[in-house]
Amino acid sequence: MRSLYHEILIAFDGIDSLNQYHHAQLNQTKENKMLTEPQQQFLDNLLSGEFVQGAGALRRNDDTWCCLGVACETYRRVTGEGEWDTKNKSSWTSYEFILAGRYEDSVMPWEVARWLGLGSQNPYLERNTAAEYNDGTAIDDRGDTVKWDFAKIAEGFKKLFERRNDDDE
């Protein structure tokens, strides 16, 4: 028996179409639950297909990204603040995001988190942090590891944004 996920993959003919499907689903409820412009831009980037998901760093030298790195890149593109640098890297395999004189390679800077309306540099999206779901180190109820793709991570962030935005009203 096929799972619903597999049925969707078949119906939408692959990951690009699946990302478009998730993007449409996120936008359908946009009218019901308003997201801030930065939040929507971040979700759009996660679903765009432009960023290849990686693990272990915000952005790796092979140009793969953690979801938190996509948040940093969204911030950089929109605000013009921050830059990626390998000169002072803490690892030979990753870029660091430099913002306000500080270097980050594993969590988004506080400025990025606040811009997205978050209270954490690596927020919980259910029972695990965004980076844990991204990297495949999240643990489920049975003790098994769990890895989410960017589409599932976008759903988790959207739910978090909606809860936080509702609390602010």
Side-chain angles (χ1 to χ4, degrees):
M1 186 161 115
R2 293 185 186 148
S3 70
L4 178 59
Y5 181 78
H6 288 105
E7 292 295 330
I8 292 171
L9 275 176
I10 292 167
F12 290 95
D13 192 30
I15 193 67
D16 288 336
S17 295
L18 184 61
N19 282 340
Q20 292 169 358
Y21 168 78
H22 281 287
H23 185 76
Q25 292 297 103
L26 286 171
N27 284 332
Q28 268 184 350
T29 59
K30 187 176 175 183
E31 295 171 5
N32 300 339
K33 301 272 188 170
M34 288 302 294
L35 301 177
T36 67
E37 188 65 27
Q39 291 168 346
Q40 189 62 53
Q41 290 169 322
F42 168 52
L43 297 179
D44 289 347
N45 279 340
L46 280 176
L47 297 172
S48 69
E50 174 184 351
F51 298 91
V52 176
Q53 189 171 357
L58 293 174
R59 179 181 178 191
R60 298 184 63 83
N61 288 348
D62 62 1
D63 214 27
T64 58
W65 300 78
C66 171
C67 59
L68 302 177
V70 175
C72 293
E73 179 62 9
T74 303
Y75 178 88
R76 187 193 69 76
R77 290 178 181 181
V78 172
T79 68
E81 298 176 18
E83 64 180 303
W84 295 101
D85 183 40
T86 58
K87 295 176 193 157
N88 297 303
K89 60 187 173 188
S90 61
S91 161
W92 291 106
T93 60
S94 66
Y95 293 103
E96 289 184 315
F97 189 68
I98 307 168
L99 184 62
R102 291 184 308 280
Y103 294 75
E104 296 287 356
D105 67 353
S106 59
V107 296
M108 67 178 116
W110 278 110
E111 292 84 353
V112 176
R114 284 191 294 270
W115 182 71
L116 290 171
L118 298 170
S120 172
Q121 294 173 280
N122 183 15
Y124 279 81
L125 299 183
E126 280 184 6
R127 59 180 294 150
N128 295 276
T129 66
E132 290 169 333
Y133 283 120
N134 184 89
D135 294 352
T137 59
I139 305 294
D140 68 12
D141 293 335
R142 296 177 307 227
D144 296 326
T145 57
V146 178
K147 180 175 176 64
W148 287 359
D149 63 14
F150 277 167
K152 179 74 172 160
I153 290 170
E155 288 178 23
F157 268 108
K158 183 175 185 294
K159 290 176 186 174
L160 176 62
F161 291 150
E162 288 173 347
R163 283 194 310 269
R164 290 193 60 85
N165 294 349
D166 283 347
D167 290 344
D168 291 342
E169 290 178 359

